Amino acid sequence: MEHTITLHPPEITKGSDDIADLRWPDDPLEIPDWIYTDQRIYELEQQRIFGGDVWNYAGIEAELPNPGDYIRSHAGSVPIILARDKKGEVHAFENRCAHRGAELCRSQRGNADSFVCPYHQWNYGLDGKLKGVPFKRGVQGKGGMPADFDMQAHGLRSLRVTCHNGAIFVTFSANTPPLPEYLGEEMLGEFNTIFNGRKLKLLGIHRNTLEGNWKLYQENLKDPYHATLLHTYLTTFGLFVAGNRTTIVADPGGVHTALRNARPKGELKLDENKAQINSFKEGMKLADPRVLDFVPEFNSEWSSSAITIWPNLILLRQMNILSARQIVPTGPNQFMLIWTAFGYEDDTEEMTQHRLRQNNIFGPGGFLGIDDHEAIKFVQDGLDKGVPRGGVAPLGNDDEPNDTVITDRAIRLMYKHYRKMMRL
């Protein structure tokens, strides 16, 4: 379902766009440090990527089950509100009063008939349109708005919204193609494995702030090389090891990627690949091994799929946990993650508890997240404090089969697209 309401072009560049002193290296394997640290690059990203022809993931419809329900979200760094109107349609608009620019909604979620700015009490409907202005005609014939003040011209700045099987995306652009076309056929198939039409059930929301550039998180989920080496939990319990059957697929433009893995059946045995990995701990045991149980429930040969949707969504189907991780850039060296754990409305109570149990592995406080968050901070520390140079992404060839995890191919594809969008 998609609907469009009044669309206004983004005006979100605050700093200088003069980046003539920044030049991308000639070697396509090299990635310059300044894309992670330069304030001007960060500000241009808000305009050219998040404000451009992309679909920004913003939430799931299960967060807005009833008319009047709303949540706070973001499109890039821009705070927005998602609200369901009395007819059931979802609207998105900037969380900023049209009068003096105050952030008017301070609650993360709730139910309301309208939104009232606390500063001067300008009142907006669930569709973002301006409904009321106190003292519009002044007092005793003095003051107030000009006679030709147009209420219709002073609503909240609106975004296009599309809802796909329970997932909500927004865009500032009138030119962004429909979501299925934006994802491409193969990526849409992976996406639809999770968002398959079953009504979603919200299980929980977490927010945390990470010390690193937002692109490092996209890289992290496109980087299976680290997963086999960094994560003791994955390797030791066989959830993802170099010997597992794995494939990495991408959309035709190479910007969206799905890393798919099939966990081997039966008891995990130490093999040649694991013997080379320091993170494998053969003696490690779980107090509650039920956390590793996999209940087949999808029409898929893969037990896990980590999908990166450009620019701000990580969609995870790992065992039986379903999670959407929304990336919110908050500066060149910091971003927020909004973790949305969900299941399906027709899940049994046992399955709901199982999904929640597995959140202990794959949630923000889980063993994998802790590893990744610390590694991203290590990278950012090196970028911020080291002598500037370029990092490299040389693993694997672009034209080789996609069934190896020892490759940087997906990272290189992402930056090929990034350079095009950023005109670098």
Short mmCIF file of all heavy atoms in Angstrom, two decimals, residues 236-269:
data_model
loop_
_atom_site.label_atom_id
_atom_site.label_comp_id
_atom_site.label_asym_id
_atom_site.label_seq_id
_atom_site.Cartn_x
_atom_site.Cartn_y
_atom_site.Cartn_z
N THR A 236 31.41 -21.18 17.93
CA THR A 236 31.39 -22.30 18.86
C THR A 236 30.13 -23.13 18.75
O THR A 236 30.16 -24.36 18.80
CB THR A 236 31.56 -21.78 20.30
OG1 THR A 236 32.79 -21.08 20.39
CG2 THR A 236 31.55 -22.93 21.30
N PHE A 237 29.00 -22.44 18.56
CA PHE A 237 27.74 -23.18 18.52
C PHE A 237 27.23 -23.43 17.10
O PHE A 237 26.08 -23.81 16.89
CB PHE A 237 26.70 -22.45 19.37
CG PHE A 237 27.11 -22.40 20.82
CD1 PHE A 237 27.50 -21.21 21.40
CD2 PHE A 237 27.16 -23.56 21.57
CE1 PHE A 237 27.92 -21.17 22.73
CE2 PHE A 237 27.58 -23.53 22.89
CZ PHE A 237 27.97 -22.34 23.47
N GLY A 238 28.11 -23.17 16.11
CA GLY A 238 27.83 -23.59 14.75
C GLY A 238 26.77 -22.80 14.02
O GLY A 238 26.26 -23.25 13.00
N LEU A 239 26.43 -21.61 14.51
CA LEU A 239 25.41 -20.82 13.84
C LEU A 239 25.93 -20.22 12.55
O LEU A 239 25.19 -19.98 11.60
CB LEU A 239 24.92 -19.71 14.77
CG LEU A 239 24.26 -20.17 16.06
CD1 LEU A 239 23.82 -18.99 16.90
CD2 LEU A 239 23.06 -21.07 15.76
N PHE A 240 27.22 -19.93 12.53
CA PHE A 240 27.81 -19.38 11.31
C PHE A 240 29.31 -19.64 11.36
O PHE A 240 30.03 -19.01 12.13
CB PHE A 240 27.55 -17.86 11.23
CG PHE A 240 27.92 -17.26 9.91
CD1 PHE A 240 26.97 -17.07 8.93
CD2 PHE A 240 29.24 -16.89 9.64
CE1 PHE A 240 27.32 -16.53 7.70
CE2 PHE A 240 29.59 -16.34 8.41
CZ PHE A 240 28.63 -16.16 7.44
N VAL A 241 29.77 -20.56 10.55
CA VAL A 241 31.20 -20.85 10.47
C VAL A 241 31.58 -20.95 8.99
O VAL A 241 30.72 -21.10 8.12
CB VAL A 241 31.57 -22.17 11.20
CG1 VAL A 241 31.34 -22.04 12.69
CG2 VAL A 241 30.79 -23.34 10.64
N ALA A 242 32.88 -20.89 8.76
CA ALA A 242 33.36 -20.82 7.37
C ALA A 242 32.93 -22.04 6.56
O ALA A 242 32.75 -21.95 5.36
CB ALA A 242 34.88 -20.68 7.36
N GLY A 243 32.75 -23.16 7.23
CA GLY A 243 32.39 -24.37 6.50
C GLY A 243 30.91 -24.52 6.21
O GLY A 243 30.50 -25.41 5.45
N ASN A 244 30.07 -23.67 6.81
CA ASN A 244 28.62 -23.75 6.56
C ASN A 244 28.30 -23.37 5.12
O ASN A 244 29.02 -22.59 4.49
CB ASN A 244 27.87 -22.79 7.49
CG ASN A 244 27.78 -23.32 8.91
OD1 ASN A 244 28.39 -24.31 9.27
ND2 ASN A 244 27.01 -22.61 9.73
N ARG A 245 27.19 -23.89 4.64
CA ARG A 245 26.74 -23.49 3.30
C ARG A 245 26.23 -22.06 3.36
O ARG A 245 25.33 -21.74 4.16
CB ARG A 245 25.65 -24.46 2.83
CG ARG A 245 25.30 -24.32 1.35
CD ARG A 245 24.55 -25.56 0.87
NE ARG A 245 23.29 -25.73 1.58
CZ ARG A 245 22.12 -25.23 1.14
NH1 ARG A 245 22.09 -24.55 0.02
NH2 ARG A 245 21.02 -25.44 1.82
N THR A 246 26.80 -21.21 2.53
CA THR A 246 26.51 -19.78 2.61
C THR A 246 26.46 -19.19 1.20
O THR A 246 27.15 -19.68 0.30
CB THR A 246 27.63 -19.05 3.39
OG1 THR A 246 27.74 -19.63 4.68
CG2 THR A 246 27.34 -17.57 3.53
N THR A 247 25.65 -18.16 1.04
CA THR A 247 25.66 -17.43 -0.22
C THR A 247 25.36 -15.96 0.07
O THR A 247 24.67 -15.63 1.03
CB THR A 247 24.64 -18.01 -1.21
OG1 THR A 247 24.76 -17.33 -2.45
CG2 THR A 247 23.22 -17.85 -0.70
N ILE A 248 25.91 -15.10 -0.76
CA ILE A 248 25.66 -13.66 -0.64
C ILE A 248 25.03 -13.21 -1.95
O ILE A 248 25.64 -13.33 -3.01
CB ILE A 248 26.95 -12.87 -0.40
CG1 ILE A 248 27.67 -13.39 0.86
CG2 ILE A 248 26.65 -11.38 -0.25
CD1 ILE A 248 29.04 -12.77 1.05
N VAL A 249 23.80 -12.71 -1.86
CA VAL A 249 23.12 -12.23 -3.06
C VAL A 249 22.90 -10.74 -2.95
O VAL A 249 22.84 -10.18 -1.84
CB VAL A 249 21.77 -12.94 -3.27
CG1 VAL A 249 21.98 -14.42 -3.56
CG2 VAL A 249 20.85 -12.76 -2.06
N ALA A 250 22.81 -10.09 -4.09
CA ALA A 250 22.63 -8.63 -4.12
C ALA A 250 21.62 -8.28 -5.19
O ALA A 250 21.33 -9.08 -6.09
CB ALA A 250 23.96 -7.94 -4.40
N ASP A 251 21.08 -7.07 -5.08
CA ASP A 251 20.19 -6.57 -6.12
C ASP A 251 21.04 -6.20 -7.34
O ASP A 251 22.27 -6.16 -7.25
CB ASP A 251 19.42 -5.36 -5.61
CG ASP A 251 20.31 -4.15 -5.47
OD1 ASP A 251 21.25 -4.22 -4.66
OD2 ASP A 251 20.10 -3.15 -6.17
N PRO A 252 20.42 -5.96 -8.50
CA PRO A 252 21.22 -5.67 -9.70
C PRO A 252 22.16 -4.48 -9.53
O PRO A 252 23.24 -4.45 -10.13
CB PRO A 252 20.15 -5.39 -10.77
CG PRO A 252 18.97 -6.17 -10.32
CD PRO A 252 18.99 -6.10 -8.83
N GLY A 253 21.79 -3.51 -8.71
CA GLY A 253 22.65 -2.36 -8.47
C GLY A 253 23.73 -2.61 -7.44
O GLY A 253 24.64 -1.80 -7.27
N GLY A 254 23.62 -3.74 -6.73
CA GLY A 254 24.64 -4.12 -5.76
C GLY A 254 24.56 -3.40 -4.43
O GLY A 254 25.43 -3.58 -3.59
N VAL A 255 23.50 -2.67 -4.18
CA VAL A 255 23.47 -1.89 -2.95
C VAL A 255 22.80 -2.62 -1.81
O VAL A 255 23.20 -2.50 -0.66
CB VAL A 255 22.79 -0.53 -3.21
CG1 VAL A 255 21.34 -0.69 -3.64
CG2 VAL A 255 22.90 0.35 -1.99
N HIS A 256 21.77 -3.41 -2.10
CA HIS A 256 21.14 -4.23 -1.07
C HIS A 256 21.77 -5.63 -1.13
O HIS A 256 22.05 -6.14 -2.22
CB HIS A 256 19.64 -4.37 -1.30
CG HIS A 256 18.95 -3.10 -1.67
ND1 HIS A 256 18.96 -1.98 -0.86
CD2 HIS A 256 18.22 -2.76 -2.77
CE1 HIS A 256 18.25 -1.02 -1.43
NE2 HIS A 256 17.81 -1.47 -2.59
N THR A 257 21.95 -6.23 0.03
CA THR A 257 22.62 -7.54 0.07
C THR A 257 21.92 -8.45 1.06
O THR A 257 21.42 -7.97 2.08
CB THR A 257 24.09 -7.37 0.52
OG1 THR A 257 24.72 -6.38 -0.28
CG2 THR A 257 24.86 -8.66 0.37
N ALA A 258 21.91 -9.73 0.78
CA ALA A 258 21.44 -10.73 1.76
C ALA A 258 22.53 -11.77 1.94
O ALA A 258 22.99 -12.38 0.97
CB ALA A 258 20.15 -11.38 1.27
N LEU A 259 22.95 -11.93 3.18
CA LEU A 259 23.91 -12.96 3.55
C LEU A 259 23.12 -14.13 4.12
O LEU A 259 22.52 -14.03 5.19
CB LEU A 259 24.89 -12.41 4.58
CG LEU A 259 25.83 -13.42 5.25
CD1 LEU A 259 26.69 -14.13 4.22
CD2 LEU A 259 26.69 -12.72 6.29
N ARG A 260 23.10 -15.26 3.39
CA ARG A 260 22.25 -16.39 3.77
C ARG A 260 23.12 -17.57 4.19
O ARG A 260 24.14 -17.86 3.54
CB ARG A 260 21.34 -16.77 2.59
CG ARG A 260 20.53 -15.59 2.09
CD ARG A 260 19.61 -15.96 0.96
NE ARG A 260 20.29 -16.47 -0.21
CZ ARG A 260 19.73 -16.61 -1.42
NH1 ARG A 260 18.46 -16.28 -1.58
NH2 ARG A 260 20.41 -17.08 -2.45
N ASN A 261 22.68 -18.23 5.23
CA ASN A 261 23.49 -19.29 5.81
C ASN A 261 22.59 -20.45 6.21
O ASN A 261 21.47 -20.25 6.67
CB ASN A 261 24.23 -18.72 7.04
CG ASN A 261 25.04 -19.77 7.76
OD1 ASN A 261 24.61 -20.30 8.78
ND2 ASN A 261 26.21 -20.08 7.25
N ALA A 262 23.09 -21.66 6.03
CA ALA A 262 22.35 -22.86 6.44
C ALA A 262 23.12 -23.56 7.55
O ALA A 262 24.25 -24.01 7.33
CB ALA A 262 22.13 -23.80 5.25
N ARG A 263 22.53 -23.60 8.71
CA ARG A 263 23.18 -24.26 9.83
C ARG A 263 23.15 -25.77 9.60
O ARG A 263 22.11 -26.34 9.29
CB ARG A 263 22.43 -23.92 11.12
CG ARG A 263 23.06 -24.51 12.37
CD ARG A 263 22.12 -24.34 13.56
NE ARG A 263 22.68 -24.94 14.75
CZ ARG A 263 21.99 -25.19 15.85
NH1 ARG A 263 20.72 -24.88 15.91
NH2 ARG A 263 22.56 -25.73 16.88
N PRO A 264 24.30 -26.45 9.76
CA PRO A 264 24.31 -27.90 9.55
C PRO A 264 23.47 -28.60 10.60
O PRO A 264 23.35 -28.14 11.74
CB PRO A 264 25.80 -28.26 9.67
CG PRO A 264 26.42 -27.14 10.43
CD PRO A 264 25.62 -25.92 10.12
N LYS A 265 22.90 -29.72 10.21
CA LYS A 265 22.08 -30.49 11.15
C LYS A 265 22.97 -31.38 12.01
O LYS A 265 24.07 -31.75 11.63
CB LYS A 265 21.07 -31.34 10.38
CG LYS A 265 20.07 -30.50 9.58
CD LYS A 265 19.13 -31.38 8.79
CE LYS A 265 18.15 -30.51 7.99
NZ LYS A 265 17.25 -31.33 7.17
N GLY A 266 22.49 -31.73 13.18
CA GLY A 266 23.22 -32.63 14.06
C GLY A 266 24.20 -31.91 14.95
O GLY A 266 24.30 -30.68 14.96
N GLU A 267 24.96 -32.68 15.70
CA GLU A 267 25.90 -32.12 16.67
C GLU A 267 27.11 -31.52 15.97
O GLU A 267 27.63 -32.08 15.01
CB GLU A 267 26.36 -33.22 17.64
CG GLU A 267 27.24 -32.71 18.78
CD GLU A 267 27.66 -33.83 19.72
OE1 GLU A 267 27.12 -34.95 19.55
OE2 GLU A 267 28.49 -33.59 20.58
N LEU A 268 27.55 -30.37 16.47
CA LEU A 268 28.69 -29.69 15.88
C LEU A 268 29.98 -30.43 16.19
O LEU A 268 30.24 -30.81 17.32
CB LEU A 268 28.77 -28.27 16.43
CG LEU A 268 29.86 -27.39 15.84
CD1 LEU A 268 29.57 -27.07 14.38
CD2 LEU A 268 30.01 -26.13 16.65
N LYS A 269 30.80 -30.66 15.16
CA LYS A 269 32.10 -31.31 15.34
C LYS A 269 33.20 -30.34 14.93
O LYS A 269 33.04 -29.55 14.00
CB LYS A 269 32.18 -32.57 14.47
CG LYS A 269 31.09 -33.60 14.77
CD LYS A 269 31.26 -34.23 16.14
CE LYS A 269 30.24 -35.34 16.35
NZ LYS A 269 30.33 -35.92 17.71
#
